[in-house]
Amino acid sequence: MSINIVGLVGIVLLVFLFLKVPVFISILAGSVTYFILTPRVPQLIIAQRLVAGVESIPLLAIPFFVCAGVFMNHSGVTQRIMEFCGVLTGRMTGGLAQVNILLSTLMGGLSGSNLADAAMEAKMLVPEMEKKGFSKEFSSVVTATSAMITPLIPPGIGMILYGSIANVSIGKLFVAGLSVGAMLCIALMILVHFMSKKRGYKPLHEEQIKMNEFLKALKGAVLPLCLPIIIIGGIRIGIFTPTEAGSVAIVYSLILGIVYRELTMKKFLDGIKETVITTSAIMLIVGAASALSWVLTKERVPQQLTDYIVEVISNKYMFLIIVNVFLIIVGMFIEGNAITIILVPLLAPIALKLNIDPIHFAMIFIFNVSIGTLSPPMGTLMFVTCGVTKCKIKNFIKEAVPFYILLLIVLGLLTFVPQFSTALVNMLY
């Protein structure tokens, strides 16, 4: 009877998701179905779990870092970092496309949101790229793919969620994200170099940058770029926790806004409003998923799944391959935060039992979820970017094929070479 009810819960959840009902309502519908069909379980529990799910100290970091990222965008930080990226990569083949990738990597340490990053760069860079001769499709794909780096670079929201759910050190995840994000950045820049060379996309400028121009660009970007160093350094030394680091980031972003004289009262109030809306959307999903996790745990689904998989699969790399395929498929249909909240409690214990390093598995999981945001039919990054640039989805998918292949290669390296995820962590910890 319990198996049938759990199966029905899953069906209700998937049906609602395919009907494009908001994610938190879809998850909640699955949970409510269980309580309706199981009268012996008090229905008051669902309300308790909704509240308890968001009463987690580590989750406080989410509104803090979202707020800091919003204030950074309103403080003129983005423009200064873009100018610095232009100086660093302007002579490379691909010009503005290389600027696009490096900007996403550096802004990942400030905004923490891939959708915000993609929307911002789609507005700022894609029109300029088209003026320079880049096709709309190529510009859109580079923008969306480079935004995948954002959740991998601290303080990515996905890492905070994963760490709080799987009881893994968020500080260590932040450090691991630096190496994985840098790896993806370099891989994308190499691919863009060869594609641009083949298509004749020219550098931003041919002449060598003068030292005074470099120092001027660096001066404008150096203060914002110190934030990731402050966050990771402060956590590692023990000055503050990851949650407290979020409040430090807010204070730092406000100071930058005052120093640059661009954070007006109107922008401040708009930033607060944007923070509340973004945080509310995330926390609604967290609360709903907490209720669903309680249902799955009560029916012993994680334990039974762990026992079954460990019995059938003894090789950890075979398990990781299956997880990769599964997460890529699931990511095509379900929003990333929901995947993390629902599947981490199921898969993380199995990985631990197969002696897979928790940090290694976390980065594989987060990278897979990031690929899902770029994949049809429901890839959020794809839709946000195309919505801003007015690029047709079918043209976007066709242009993105080389990038999908590259992402699978990087995923393979992350899967079979754990050092890409763990080397920096082991060095610092």
Side-chain angles (χ1 to χ4, degrees):
M1 179 66 179
S2 294
I3 295 175
N4 293 335
I5 292 175
V6 171
L8 191 58
V9 167
I11 291 170
V12 170
L13 169 62
L14 291 174
V15 167
F16 272 67
L17 285 171
F18 278 116
L19 291 175
K20 295 189 178 180
V21 175
V23 173
F24 82 94
I25 295 178
S26 303
I27 298 172
L28 201 56
S31 305
V32 169
T33 302
Y34 174 82
F35 285 94
I36 291 173
L37 298 176
T38 317
R40 70 180 188 279
V41 180
Q43 295 187 1
L44 184 62
I45 290 175
I46 192 168
Q48 293 174 341
R49 293 313 309 167
L50 282 170
V51 176
V54 297
E55 287 184 330
S56 169
I57 295 297
L59 291 179
L60 268 176
I62 293 176
F64 287 156
F65 281 120
V66 168
C67 184
V70 169
F71 285 154
M72 285 284 185
N73 286 337
H74 285 299
S75 300
V77 168
T78 306
Q79 185 63 39
R80 286 172 171 81
I81 293 181
M82 188 173 77
E83 289 171 3
F84 179 61
C85 293
V87 168
L88 290 181
T89 63
R91 293 186 69 199
M92 293 183 182
T93 304
L96 275 176
Q98 303 286 16
V99 173
N100 198 323
I101 296 167
L102 189 59
L103 179 61
S104 287
T105 306
L106 298 180
M107 286 303 297
L110 305 178
S111 70
S113 168
N114 56 355
L115 295 182
D117 180 76
M120 172 195 69
E121 292 192 23
K123 291 174 186 174
M124 291 177 61
L125 280 174
V126 172
E128 292 300 317
M129 289 175 73
E130 288 187 72
K131 288 178 185 176
K132 295 286 184 180
F134 293 87
S135 69
K136 185 187 292 290
E137 294 78 19
F138 181 79
S139 304
S140 300
V141 170
V142 170
T143 300
T145 311
S146 64
M148 273 184 56
I149 301 172
T150 302
L152 301 170
I153 299 285
I157 303 302
M159 288 188 279
I160 298 171
L161 276 178
Y162 188 101
S164 62
I165 295 166
N167 198 25
V168 176
S169 166
I170 295 174
K172 289 184 178 180
L173 289 178
F174 281 176
V175 173
L178 284 174
S179 54
V180 177
M183 177 186 175
L184 180 56
C185 171
I186 293 168
L188 285 173
M189 291 179 83
I190 292 171
L191 176 62
V192 164
H193 169 84
F194 286 108
M195 291 183 71
S196 299
K197 200 168 186 178
K198 185 178 179 180
R199 300 181 183 191
Y201 296 148
K202 295 180 180 179
L204 195 57
H205 43 75
E206 299 288 347
E207 68 281 359
Q208 188 171 350
I209 293 293
K210 296 177 182 177
M211 182 55 70
N212 62 331
E213 292 176 343
F214 171 79
L215 292 175
K216 183 181 177 182
L218 178 62
K219 182 181 177 182
V222 69
L223 288 178
L225 293 178
C226 285
L227 181 59
I229 299 170
I230 293 170
I231 291 171
I232 292 176
I235 293 171
R236 179 64 191 95
I237 296 170
I239 298 174
F240 42 70
T241 65
T243 303
E244 292 164 346
S247 57
V248 171
I250 292 176
V251 173
Y252 193 74
S253 63
L254 288 172
I255 291 171
L256 289 182
I258 295 169
V259 170
Y260 294 149
R261 299 179 182 179
E262 292 196 30
L263 187 63
T264 61
M265 182 55 69
K266 183 180 183 304
K267 288 182 179 179
F268 176 82
L269 294 175
D270 288 344
I272 294 294
K273 180 181 176 182
E274 190 177 335
T275 300
V276 171
I277 292 171
T278 304
T279 303
S280 300
I282 295 171
M283 289 306 182
L284 282 170
I285 295 173
V286 171
S290 174
L292 183 60
S293 295
W294 185 91
V295 170
L296 295 175
T297 304
K298 183 170 190 314
E299 294 299 325
R300 290 185 53 80
V301 173
Q303 295 90 328
Q304 291 174 16
L305 187 64
T306 300
D307 293 340
Y308 175 75
I309 290 180
V310 170
E311 186 180 327
V312 174
I313 303 170
S314 57
N315 186 291
K316 65 179 183 180
Y317 291 109
M318 182 56 68
F319 168 72
L320 289 175
I321 291 170
I322 293 170
V323 167
N324 284 339
V325 174
F326 175 66
L327 288 177
I328 287 173
I329 294 171
V330 171
M332 293 179 180
F333 302 97
I334 303 177
E335 195 268 341
N337 291 331
I339 294 173
T340 301
I341 297 163
I342 295 170
L343 293 182
V344 167
L346 298 176
L347 298 176
I350 303 173
L352 204 58
K353 206 160 186 177
L354 289 170
N355 295 318
I356 299 170
D357 186 288
I359 301 296
H360 179 210
F361 184 74
M363 298 318 298
I364 291 172
F365 190 101
I366 294 167
F367 195 88
N368 269 300
V369 170
S370 299
I371 293 176
T373 63
L374 196 69
S375 307
M378 295 177 67
T380 48
L381 268 180
M382 178 176 65
F383 282 113
V384 166
T385 305
C386 290
V388 175
T389 64
K390 308 303 178 189
C391 174
K392 293 182 179 178
I393 297 294
K394 64 176 183 179
N395 295 339
F396 179 97
I397 295 170
K398 184 179 178 182
E399 185 72 20
V401 170
F403 291 86
Y404 289 135
I405 294 170
L406 177 72
L407 291 174
L408 292 176
I409 292 170
V410 174
L411 177 60
L413 289 173
L414 279 179
T415 302
F416 295 107
V417 187
Q419 287 76 16
F420 282 118
S421 305
T422 59
L424 194 57
V425 178
N426 294 335
M427 190 186 302
L428 293 179
Y429 283 86

